[in-house]
Tab-separated table of all heavy atoms in Angstrom:
chain	number	residue	atom	x	y	z
A	8	ARG	N	0.466	12.194	1.757
A	8	ARG	CA	0.672	13.456	1.084
A	8	ARG	C	-0.660	14.049	0.620
A	8	ARG	O	-0.917	15.246	0.663
A	8	ARG	CB	1.635	13.292	-0.075
A	8	ARG	CG	1.974	14.591	-0.741
A	8	ARG	CD	3.127	14.482	-1.770
A	8	ARG	NE	2.773	13.635	-2.890
A	8	ARG	CZ	3.298	12.445	-3.114
A	8	ARG	NH1	4.158	11.891	-2.270
A	8	ARG	NH2	2.954	11.718	-4.170
A	13	THR	N	-3.786	21.307	5.250
A	13	THR	CA	-2.953	22.523	5.178
A	13	THR	C	-3.662	23.625	5.974
A	13	THR	O	-4.871	23.530	6.230
A	13	THR	CB	-2.727	22.948	3.747
A	13	THR	OG1	-3.995	23.342	3.205
A	13	THR	CG2	-2.149	21.831	2.942
A	19	THR	N	-10.780	27.579	3.039
A	19	THR	CA	-11.400	27.447	1.756
A	19	THR	C	-12.930	27.739	1.776
A	19	THR	O	-13.366	28.525	0.893
A	19	THR	CB	-11.160	26.047	1.168
A	19	THR	OG1	-9.728	25.863	1.038
A	19	THR	CG2	-11.809	25.907	-0.196
A	24	VAL	N	-16.951	31.724	-0.466
A	24	VAL	CA	-18.066	32.659	-0.308
A	24	VAL	C	-17.590	34.098	-0.282
A	24	VAL	O	-18.144	34.978	-0.870
A	24	VAL	CB	-18.903	32.339	0.937
A	24	VAL	CG1	-20.033	33.353	1.159
A	24	VAL	CG2	-19.475	30.926	0.864
A	28	ALA	N	-18.334	37.434	-2.754
A	28	ALA	CA	-19.180	38.404	-2.036
A	28	ALA	C	-18.507	39.786	-1.981
A	28	ALA	O	-19.170	40.821	-2.198
A	28	ALA	CB	-19.456	37.916	-0.609
A	34	GLY	N	-18.648	45.818	-6.880
A	34	GLY	CA	-19.509	46.150	-8.009
A	34	GLY	C	-20.709	46.965	-7.616
A	34	GLY	O	-21.107	47.892	-8.338
A	39	VAL	N	-22.974	53.292	-7.106
A	39	VAL	CA	-23.419	54.450	-6.300
A	39	VAL	C	-22.848	55.710	-6.893
A	39	VAL	O	-21.665	55.812	-7.178
A	39	VAL	CB	-23.010	54.293	-4.842
A	39	VAL	CG1	-23.429	55.522	-4.039
A	39	VAL	CG2	-23.592	53.011	-4.266
A	42	SER	N	-19.043	57.350	-6.527
A	42	SER	CA	-18.087	56.364	-6.045
A	42	SER	C	-16.934	56.186	-7.024
A	42	SER	O	-15.936	55.493	-6.650
A	42	SER	CB	-18.761	55.022	-5.851
A	42	SER	OG	-19.292	54.531	-7.083
A	43	ARG	N	-16.960	56.796	-8.194
A	43	ARG	CA	-15.850	56.669	-9.158
A	43	ARG	C	-14.878	57.814	-9.073
A	43	ARG	O	-13.959	57.923	-9.851
A	43	ARG	CB	-16.395	56.534	-10.577
A	43	ARG	CG	-17.325	55.335	-10.724
A	43	ARG	CD	-17.787	55.200	-12.163
A	43	ARG	NE	-18.944	54.292	-12.229
A	43	ARG	CZ	-19.568	53.965	-13.377
A	43	ARG	NH1	-19.149	54.482	-14.529
A	43	ARG	NH2	-20.612	53.177	-13.355
A	52	GLY	N	-15.014	50.619	-1.936
A	52	GLY	CA	-15.148	49.674	-3.037
A	52	GLY	C	-13.850	48.988	-3.360
A	52	GLY	O	-13.817	47.745	-3.508
A	53	HIS	N	-12.779	49.730	-3.481
A	53	HIS	CA	-11.496	49.130	-3.841
A	53	HIS	C	-10.910	48.324	-2.726
A	53	HIS	O	-10.173	47.370	-2.904
A	53	HIS	CB	-10.512	50.238	-4.302
A	53	HIS	CG	-10.797	50.687	-5.707
A	53	HIS	ND1	-11.858	51.565	-6.017
A	53	HIS	CD2	-10.225	50.403	-6.900
A	53	HIS	CE1	-11.915	51.764	-7.316
A	53	HIS	NE2	-10.919	51.073	-7.873
A	58	ALA	N	-9.561	42.848	-0.790
A	58	ALA	CA	-9.738	41.747	0.131
A	58	ALA	C	-10.295	40.522	-0.635
A	58	ALA	O	-9.870	39.385	-0.343
A	58	ALA	CB	-10.718	42.157	1.265
A	60	LEU	N	-9.835	39.712	-3.762
A	60	LEU	CA	-8.755	39.111	-4.579
A	60	LEU	C	-7.821	38.286	-3.679
A	60	LEU	O	-7.374	37.228	-4.103
A	60	LEU	CB	-7.998	40.210	-5.314
A	60	LEU	CG	-8.742	40.892	-6.483
A	60	LEU	CD1	-7.908	42.062	-6.987
A	60	LEU	CD2	-8.968	39.886	-7.608
A	83	THR	N	2.544	18.852	-14.464
A	83	THR	CA	3.139	20.046	-15.021
A	83	THR	C	2.068	21.007	-15.515
A	83	THR	O	2.156	22.230	-15.289
A	83	THR	CB	4.087	19.708	-16.173
A	83	THR	OG1	5.135	18.859	-15.717
A	83	THR	CG2	4.753	20.967	-16.781
A	87	ALA	N	1.284	24.680	-14.122
A	87	ALA	CA	1.305	25.815	-15.024
A	87	ALA	C	0.025	26.645	-14.911
A	87	ALA	O	0.028	27.895	-14.889
A	87	ALA	CB	1.514	25.361	-16.462
A	92	ALA	N	-2.599	31.521	-12.919
A	92	ALA	CA	-3.637	32.179	-12.149
A	92	ALA	C	-3.014	33.096	-11.081
A	92	ALA	O	-3.497	34.215	-10.869
A	92	ALA	CB	-4.531	31.127	-11.496
A	93	PHE	N	-1.965	32.591	-10.424
A	93	PHE	CA	-1.317	33.443	-9.377
A	93	PHE	C	-0.607	34.657	-9.956
A	93	PHE	O	-0.605	35.726	-9.365
A	93	PHE	CB	-0.375	32.592	-8.548
A	93	PHE	CG	-1.003	32.041	-7.322
A	93	PHE	CD1	-1.319	30.709	-7.205
A	93	PHE	CD2	-1.338	32.860	-6.239
A	93	PHE	CE1	-1.892	30.178	-6.050
A	93	PHE	CE2	-1.917	32.364	-5.094
A	93	PHE	CZ	-2.225	31.032	-4.987
A	94	ALA	N	-0.028	34.497	-11.138
A	94	ALA	CA	0.636	35.624	-11.800
A	94	ALA	C	-0.400	36.694	-12.115
A	94	ALA	O	-0.204	37.888	-11.873
A	94	ALA	CB	1.331	35.182	-13.068
A	100	LEU	N	-3.919	42.413	-8.057
A	100	LEU	CA	-3.704	43.042	-6.747
A	100	LEU	C	-2.924	44.374	-6.911
A	100	LEU	O	-3.215	45.366	-6.221
A	100	LEU	CB	-2.971	42.128	-5.846
A	100	LEU	CG	-3.775	40.944	-5.277
A	100	LEU	CD1	-2.859	39.916	-4.613
A	100	LEU	CD2	-4.808	41.464	-4.256
A	108	VAL	N	-4.488	53.602	-3.772
A	108	VAL	CA	-3.547	54.658	-3.367
A	108	VAL	C	-3.823	55.998	-4.103
A	108	VAL	O	-3.822	57.049	-3.514
A	108	VAL	CB	-2.101	54.228	-3.581
A	108	VAL	CG1	-1.114	55.357	-3.386
A	108	VAL	CG2	-1.757	53.061	-2.621
A	130	PRO	N	6.998	52.839	-18.102
A	130	PRO	CA	7.079	51.710	-19.063
A	130	PRO	C	6.733	50.402	-18.409
A	130	PRO	O	7.237	50.042	-17.377
A	130	PRO	CB	8.522	51.751	-19.515
A	130	PRO	CG	8.942	53.180	-19.347
A	130	PRO	CD	8.232	53.659	-18.106
A	151	LEU	N	-8.001	25.723	-14.377
A	151	LEU	CA	-8.123	24.888	-13.186
A	151	LEU	C	-9.546	24.357	-13.018
A	151	LEU	O	-9.751	23.184	-12.704
A	151	LEU	CB	-7.745	25.710	-11.918
A	151	LEU	CG	-6.258	26.051	-11.775
A	151	LEU	CD1	-6.085	27.036	-10.637
A	151	LEU	CD2	-5.454	24.773	-11.500
A	157	ALA	N	-13.279	18.111	-15.712
A	157	ALA	CA	-13.093	17.108	-16.774
A	157	ALA	C	-12.055	16.036	-16.437
A	157	ALA	O	-12.010	14.984	-17.054
A	157	ALA	CB	-12.696	17.762	-18.063
A	160	SER	N	-10.363	13.374	-11.312
A	160	SER	CA	-10.892	13.670	-9.967
A	160	SER	C	-12.403	13.980	-10.006
A	160	SER	O	-13.086	13.728	-9.025
A	160	SER	CB	-10.138	14.794	-9.314
A	160	SER	OG	-10.388	16.002	-10.010
A	172	LEU	N	-16.791	31.217	-16.930
A	172	LEU	CA	-16.596	31.884	-18.232
A	172	LEU	C	-17.633	32.949	-18.424
A	172	LEU	O	-17.347	34.085	-18.897
A	172	LEU	CB	-16.612	30.842	-19.351
A	172	LEU	CG	-16.469	31.392	-20.778
A	172	LEU	CD1	-15.169	32.108	-20.942
A	172	LEU	CD2	-16.612	30.265	-21.824
A	178	SER	N	-18.188	40.634	-16.811
A	178	SER	CA	-17.443	41.732	-16.251
A	178	SER	C	-16.547	42.405	-17.288
A	178	SER	O	-16.258	43.599	-17.192
A	178	SER	CB	-16.529	41.241	-15.101
A	178	SER	OG	-15.640	40.241	-15.538
A	191	CYS	N	-21.921	34.415	-10.530
A	191	CYS	CA	-21.486	33.235	-11.344
A	191	CYS	C	-20.313	32.553	-10.698
A	191	CYS	O	-20.256	31.308	-10.657
A	191	CYS	CB	-21.144	33.722	-12.728
A	191	CYS	SG	-22.533	34.231	-13.775
A	201	ARG	N	-17.331	22.103	0.134
A	201	ARG	CA	-17.460	20.803	0.726
A	201	ARG	C	-16.108	20.165	0.928
A	201	ARG	O	-15.247	20.295	0.097
A	201	ARG	CB	-18.343	19.890	-0.118
A	201	ARG	CG	-19.748	20.391	-0.353
A	201	ARG	CD	-20.644	19.305	-0.905
A	201	ARG	NE	-20.162	18.800	-2.175
A	201	ARG	CZ	-20.520	19.263	-3.379
A	201	ARG	NH1	-21.422	20.253	-3.422
A	201	ARG	NH2	-20.030	18.753	-4.479
A	202	PRO	N	-15.940	19.397	2.017
A	202	PRO	CA	-14.635	18.728	2.207
A	202	PRO	C	-14.353	17.764	1.077
A	202	PRO	O	-15.239	17.097	0.558
A	202	PRO	CB	-14.835	17.952	3.540
A	202	PRO	CG	-15.946	18.684	4.187
A	202	PRO	CD	-16.868	19.156	3.119
Side-chain angles (χ1 to χ4, degrees):
R8 185 170 66 250
T13 65
T19 300
V24 176
V39 176
S42 63
R43 302 183 196 180
H53 283 76
L60 288 172
T83 300
F93 266 108
L100 286 168
V108 170
L151 290 170
S160 67
L172 177 60
S178 60
C191 290
R201 299 194 300 267

